[in-house]
Amino acid sequence: MKLGVLVNYASEFHTAAAEVVDLERHGIDVVAVPEAYSFDAVSLLGYLAAATRDVVLTSSIMQIYSRTPTLTAMTAAGLDYVSGGRFELGIGASGPQVVEGFHGVAYDAPLGRTEEIIEICRAVWRREKLTYSGKHYSIPLPEGKGTGLGKPLALINHPLRERIPISIASIGPKNVELTARVADGWQPIFFHPTRSREVWGEALERGTEQRSTELAPLKVNVQLPVAIGDDTDAALAHTRAHFALYIGGMGARGQNFYHKLACQYGFQADADRVQNLYLAGRKAEAAEAVPEQLVRDMSLIGTEKHIAAQLDALDAAGVSTLYLLPVDDSPNGRIGAVEAVRDILSARAKTEAHGY
């Protein structure tokens, strides 16, 4: 498994770049730059492309509604070029609170739009004269819309690669099926290594059955809070509050993807209690109501022995890349978490190599 880190939304660019350079020296493989209603991801990714040499750089995630499909393709090609072929395009629908509340764009047809955007991106990277007639995007604009002066155009520059890897952040069954069918990578949030197959197995199988032979096997990239040691009570409390925000507050009642996921993992009564408390404004109580078992199952929080067992479970579940989210978010804390997980993975690899 490869190791990655996510740059904090609120990170100051110069400080973040210096830290990523340091993490690269400590063996990190991938750096993901998220984008919410923060500074855009592209500016920092371009900066990191100049500051780093070997790490893979990925957007996690570029929202599908905030850019046209062709701008997404142009941006990905530019980032891939300036990084020397080290960029991977991570996309996702985000949520209606951000899309409609910050961008002022209707949150509609996320599934259909995602598929069409991927098709358009790949056509742009192949430098085809772009003509596309889909349900959601028509390029050029059809007759009767706009000035009528639009004509098919091809990207002027030559991309380094015509198949820049694309990963999708998805958790709904139809979106996961789409991911397995057309994407290079999958970014599920709150990944439970031993129960994920129960939730997503059928969707992954349906998508894989229709997957093009031109695509390599789907990579699975997951985010995990990290705190290693014998005393992890503070780390558990911190992570409980984070989980409570998503399970309880990310979406209205009945429209919360993360609450539904916790229910699918077998924690429905707990998820309902977390949501009720959170929506009532009792956030501290909501955090306390998040089951410890759920937190430990979806994190790397605990002793080295526990972490090793979790890594075994993640490997068995087919995880390709671990995006580490150190609870100690200081530079030293992040480096320490990376080194500790790297050491456990190395010890595990040596044990497997010697057959014991």
Side-chain angles (χ1 to χ4, degrees):
M1 286 180 285
K2 293 183 178 180
L3 293 185
V5 294
L6 269 75
V7 176
N8 189 288
Y9 289 121
S11 292
E12 194 274 329
F13 279 15
H14 303 89
T15 302
E19 184 179 339
V20 168
V21 169
D22 205 11
L23 285 165
E24 184 176 39
R25 287 196 293 267
H26 286 81
I28 206 71
D29 302 300
V30 187
V31 174
V33 179
E35 186 177 74
Y37 43 99
S38 51
F39 284 161
D40 71 295
V42 177
S43 298
L44 181 52
L45 283 163
Y47 190 23
L48 292 176
T52 58
R53 296 182 59 185
D54 299 310
V55 293
V56 172
L57 303 171
T58 184
S59 53
S60 180
I61 56 173
M62 278 191 194
Q63 302 154 10
I64 62 171
Y65 296 96
S66 56
R67 297 172 177 86
T68 66
T70 41
L71 178 58
T72 298
M74 294 162 63
T75 300
L79 287 170
D80 199 49
Y81 187 85
V82 298
S83 65
R86 292 186 285 130
F87 179 67
E88 296 186 358
L89 175 62
I91 60 173
S94 186
Q97 292 88 345
V98 174
V99 172
E100 297 183 356
F102 193 67
H103 293 288
V105 178
Y107 188 87
D108 67 333
L111 193 69
R113 289 185 183 277
T114 298
E115 183 165 12
E116 292 189 15
I117 287 167
I118 290 173
E119 291 173 350
I120 292 167
C121 281
R122 287 173 173 162
V124 170
W125 298 333
R126 292 191 297 267
R127 298 190 69 246
E128 298 174 0
K129 282 194 173 182
L130 189 59
T131 59
Y132 189 86
S133 180
K135 183 176 180 180
H136 307 287
Y137 301 102
S138 295
I139 305 171
L141 278 177
E143 187 176 345
K145 290 190 176 182
T147 64
L149 299 175
K151 63 179 182 179
L153 298 170
L155 187 69
I156 294 173
N157 307 84
H158 289 258
L160 284 182
R161 297 180 288 177
E162 68 173 33
R163 288 302 290 263
I164 296 169
I166 298 175
S167 63
I168 302 175
S170 57
I171 56 175
K174 290 294 184 181
N175 208 355
V176 171
E177 180 180 339
L178 170 69
T179 302
R181 179 164 58 85
V182 304
D184 301 281
W186 176 37
Q187 297 183 56
I189 193 170
F190 297 145
F191 185 83
H192 194 302
T194 59
R195 297 189 182 182
S196 61
R197 182 59 58 175
E198 298 172 20
V199 177
W200 293 305
E202 290 184 6
L204 289 168
E205 288 173 7
R206 286 194 301 269
T208 301
E209 287 172 358
Q210 305 170 68
R211 189 174 179 84
S212 169
T213 55
E214 295 180 359
L215 293 171
L218 185 71
K219 294 181 178 179
V220 182
N221 311 314
V222 303
Q223 303 176 19
L224 295 164
V226 182
I228 302 173
D230 295 323
D231 183 5
T232 54
D233 288 347
L236 284 170
H238 178 276
T239 307
R240 272 190 164 117
H242 177 69
F243 282 14
L245 167 65
Y246 279 80
I247 296 170
M250 285 291 191
R253 200 182 303 276
Q255 295 292 326
N256 184 320
F257 309 129
Y258 314 104
H259 172 272
K260 182 178 180 180
L261 183 58
C263 293
Q264 291 174 310
Y265 282 154
F267 293 87
Q268 180 163 352
D270 297 296
D272 288 346
R273 176 169 170 74
V274 171
Q275 186 178 62
N276 290 336
L277 288 167
Y278 201 96
L279 294 179
R282 297 158 63 182
K283 297 180 181 179
E285 292 176 69
E288 291 175 2
V290 176
E292 179 177 333
Q293 188 62 50
L294 182 62
V295 176
R296 290 199 184 276
D297 288 345
M298 298 194 299
S299 70
L300 296 176
I301 297 178
T303 63
E304 289 191 10
K305 183 178 180 180
H306 172 75
I307 303 306
Q310 280 292 92
L311 292 173
D312 286 341
L314 290 160
D315 187 31
V319 172
S320 310
T321 301
L322 303 174
Y323 289 118
L324 304 181
L325 306 173
V327 175
D328 180 353
D329 199 32
S330 67
N332 287 338
R334 289 165 72 85
I335 290 170
V338 168
E339 289 182 330
V341 175
R342 177 73 74 193
D343 288 346
I344 295 171
L345 282 172
S346 296
R348 180 173 170 271
K350 289 178 182 177
T351 298
E352 290 178 350
H354 289 88
Y356 55 82

